[in-house]
């Protein structure tokens, strides 16, 4: 049982005076699951401690970045050393090239790249570039995919937009979203139809190749191949938004896992090892359209920030050097966790569908398969909320929404998995 949450409560009251909803990013509020979010004081390895001294097994991992666990010592040391040399210069450093080489080696489709400070910046810049390169206006995205909060990309978006049931966003002129076509995920025929109804007008398809922002939804067999073939046939670019999946489902992301070569790739999250960092990259002839070489403008005061580069190099460098151990062991532990909870649900007669690709996964409270946003939306979100609350009380920190993926890190142990499966067993028993 958690300790009384007095300090968290005081911090929350202050935050609610200062920040809309008390938070600086909507999904951090526990609106979808009820209850109050504890304030975090520190984290190490697989564990978070809140301001009242309660410990939690963390399956959020800062929404993806902390694949090596919190306060990973080589990353902490690299950031400390970089900070001593000054936090930012606004001029080029060797660190940018060091991280870029790691990225290009892991993602052979990325011949050239540019660093930015968030996933949102990466996707909005990639789309501007795709439109310029193709001289076309339309962008195809998929229902329930989230590509950051740029105006044109919030149409039928996932993550917080889905969690709070917001239809796109207020403040986005209809005209801005006019050139965004939102189609169901895992439906190649819908994409084919869009190319027929908008001949020579579609600049690019942007996709989370394994969806994480409606909860975890893997691509159906042949679906990504179909997107690759259709974009090639119709002269559009294929953008894999691997902000979540890059370095997560494999070192080289979904494109390595499924063997597909997109034209452009966006990265973030793990790339910066928990510091603000993103990147977009791809074929050199496309990337060379960017200023100062080409006519597409894109810039950033803190882009390629030395602290973010240092954390990224330590994180991605470790993943590269230990990939033969890291990814198989993440796969094994994640399978044990996800299957363990699923088995308890079955025993308790709770309808549950588990989706997982490597160390990213979601337990959907529905008995039906979840293959797109519409089927994810069939989940019983009240039941999810009760499950979330019960696990939090048992010291297990899950994403506070049915429509978010959970993550495992290399710091999680078999004991953590066992504790979590037992907590789930108790939660299911309560819910009967
Ligand atoms: C998190 C995420 C983004 C946005 O990245 P931010 O750093 O939050 O701006 C974009 N695309 C995907 C797939 C993401 O998971």
């Amino acid at each position: 049982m958690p300790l009384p949450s007095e300090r968290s409560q005081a911090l929350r009251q202050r935050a609610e005076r200062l920040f809309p909803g008390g938070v600086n990013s909507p999904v951090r509020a526990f609106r979808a699951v009820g209850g109050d979010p504890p304030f975090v004081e520190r984290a190490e390895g697989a564990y978070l401690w809140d301001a009242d001294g309660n410990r939690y097994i963390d399956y959020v991992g800062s929404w993806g970045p902390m694949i090596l666990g919190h306060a990973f010592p080589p990353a902490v040391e690299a950031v400390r050393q970089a900070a001593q040399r000054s936090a930012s210069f606004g001029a080029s450093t060797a660190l940018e090239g060091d991280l870029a080489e790691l990225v290009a080696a892991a993602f052979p489709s990325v011949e050239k790249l540019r660093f930015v400070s968030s996933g949102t910046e990466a996707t909005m810049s990639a789309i501007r570039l795709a439109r310029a390169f193709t001289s076309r206006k339309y962008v195809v995205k998929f229902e329930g995919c989230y590509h950051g909060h740029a105006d044109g990309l919030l149409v039928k978006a996932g993550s917080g937009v889905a969690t709070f049931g917001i239809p796109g966003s207020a403040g986005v002129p209809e005209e801005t979203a006019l050139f965004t076509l939102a189609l169901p995920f895992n439906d190649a025929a819908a994409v084919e139809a869009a190319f027929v109804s908008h001949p020579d007008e579609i600049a690019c398809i942007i996709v989370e190749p394994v969806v994480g922002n409606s909860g975890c939804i893997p691509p159906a067999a042949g679906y990504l191949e179909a997107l690759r073939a259709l974009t090639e046939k119709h002269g559009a670019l294929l953008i894999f938004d691997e902000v979540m999946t890059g370095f997560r489902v494999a070192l080289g992301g979904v494109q390595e896992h499924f063997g597909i070569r997109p034209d452009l790739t966006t990265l973030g999250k793990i790339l910066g090892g928990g510091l603000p960092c993103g990147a977009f990259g791809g074929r050199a002839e496309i990337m060379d359209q960017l200023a100062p070489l080409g006519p597409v403008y894109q810039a950033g005061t803190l882009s390629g920030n030395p602290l973010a580069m240092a954390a990224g190099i330590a994180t991605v460098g470790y993943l590269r050097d230990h990939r033969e151990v890291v990814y198989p062991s993440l796969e094994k532990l994640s399978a044990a966790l996800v299957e363990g909870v699923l088995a308890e649900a079955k025993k308790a007669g709770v309808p549950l569908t588990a989706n997982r690709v490597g160390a990213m996964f979601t337990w959907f409270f529905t008995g039906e398969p979840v293959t797109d946003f519409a089927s994810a939306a069939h989940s019983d979100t009240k039941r999810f909320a009760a499950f979330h609350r019960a696990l939090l009380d048992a010291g297990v920190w899950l994403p506070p929404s049915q429509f978010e993926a959970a993550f495992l890190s290399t710091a999680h142990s078999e004991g953590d998995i066992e504790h979590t499966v037992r907590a789930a067993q108790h939660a299911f028993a309560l819910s009967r």
Side-chain angles (χ1 to χ4, degrees):
M1 264 301 164
L3 301 171
S5 59
E6 283 161 32
R7 194 163 147 69
S8 271
Q9 239 165 46
L11 292 171
R12 200 154 46 236
Q13 280 161 6
R14 178 179 66 166
E16 277 163 10
R17 283 197 305 276
L18 294 167
F19 309 118
V23 290
N24 284 300
S25 194
V27 286
R28 291 179 201 169
F30 276 23
R31 297 247 158 167
V33 289
D36 291 321
F39 270 62
V40 176
E41 192 149 282
R42 68 188 180 92
E44 197 183 322
Y47 305 118
L48 283 178
W49 283 266
D50 72 15
D52 297 287
N54 298 298
R55 193 189 85 169
Y56 306 88
I57 303 171
D58 178 23
Y59 292 109
V60 177
S62 183
W63 301 90
M66 310 316 265
I67 190 168
L68 298 174
H70 290 280
F72 178 61
V76 172
E77 180 55 21
V79 170
R80 197 186 62 76
Q81 286 186 16
Q84 280 179 337
R85 297 188 295 262
S86 179
S88 181
F89 315 107
S92 296
T93 66
L95 294 176
E96 291 153 74
D98 293 346
L99 185 54
E101 282 180 347
L102 284 169
V103 172
F107 291 81
S109 71
V110 175
E111 295 169 1
K112 282 194 175 179
L113 68 155
R114 180 160 282 176
F115 286 116
V116 290
S117 296
S118 69
T120 295
E121 278 184 81
T123 56
M124 70 179 216
S125 305
I127 280 172
R128 181 179 301 156
L129 188 55
R131 283 175 162 155
F133 184 77
T134 57
S135 303
R136 296 176 180 182
K137 286 185 185 158
Y138 280 87
V139 172
V140 169
K141 78 172 289 284
F142 299 101
E143 292 164 7
C145 284
Y146 178 70
H147 306 291
H149 62 274
D151 279 357
L153 289 173
L154 286 174
V155 183
K156 302 206 170 159
S159 189
V161 183
T163 299
F164 305 121
I166 299 169
S169 169
V172 177
E174 275 164 41
E175 292 82 351
T176 310
L178 214 60
F179 298 112
T180 308
L181 305 173
L183 306 179
F185 183 72
N186 267 338
D187 181 352
V191 175
E192 205 158 2
F195 278 116
V196 171
S197 60
H198 294 78
D200 302 324
E201 289 184 314
I202 295 173
C204 62
I205 292 181
I206 185 166
V207 63
E208 287 184 70
V210 168
V211 181
N213 285 291
S214 308
C216 180
I217 305 179
Y223 178 65
L224 296 176
E225 288 81 356
L227 295 184
R228 180 64 282 182
L230 285 166
T231 42
E232 241 159 37
K233 177 174 168 200
H234 294 281
L237 300 186
L238 180 60
I239 305 175
F240 272 12
D241 181 356
E242 300 229 40
V243 168
M244 186 182 287
T245 53
F247 313 106
R248 163 68 54 188
V249 302
L251 184 69
V254 177
Q255 49 198 278
E256 176 190 318
H257 194 80
F258 288 101
I260 311 253
R261 198 179 171 100
D263 300 296
L264 291 172
T265 297
T266 54
L267 296 167
K269 299 199 168 113
I270 292 173
L271 177 68
L275 274 83
C277 188
F280 61 105
R283 274 158 51 201
E285 63 164 333
I286 306 171
M287 292 304 291
D288 284 345
Q289 297 298 308
L290 283 177
L293 277 187
V296 181
Y297 199 70
Q298 189 284 329
T301 303
L302 296 179
S303 293
N305 174 264
L307 304 193
M309 296 295 105
I313 293 163
T315 303
V316 176
Y318 184 93
L319 290 171
R320 180 200 57 189
D321 294 344
H322 300 84
R323 61 188 301 180
E324 309 295 346
V325 179
V326 163
Y327 293 98
S329 68
L330 281 174
E331 168 68 28
K332 191 165 154 249
L333 263 195
S334 304
L337 171 64
V338 171
E339 298 304 317
V341 169
L342 190 63
E344 292 303 334
K346 264 210 186 98
K347 276 190 235 161
V350 173
L352 197 74
T353 291
N355 281 359
R356 181 181 72 83
V357 178
M360 87 185 242
F361 52 88
T362 301
W363 295 291
F364 291 99
F365 282 76
T366 168
E368 304 298 312
V370 174
T371 57
D372 57 10
F373 183 67
S375 45
H378 285 147
S379 303
D380 185 338
T381 53
K382 283 210 182 74
R383 227 165 180 174
F384 173 82
F387 180 70
H388 180 273
R389 169 62 38 197
L391 262 65
L392 195 70
D393 283 346
V396 176
W397 188 288
L398 292 179
S401 165
Q402 176 71 95
F403 306 113
E404 300 283 0
F407 305 102
L408 205 82
S409 79
T410 56
H412 287 83
S413 67
E414 277 173 26
D416 296 328
I417 305 302
E418 283 160 21
H419 177 93
T420 305
V421 172
R422 265 199 314 276
Q425 181 191 9
H426 288 142
F428 293 140
L430 286 179
S431 79
R432 264 195 295 183

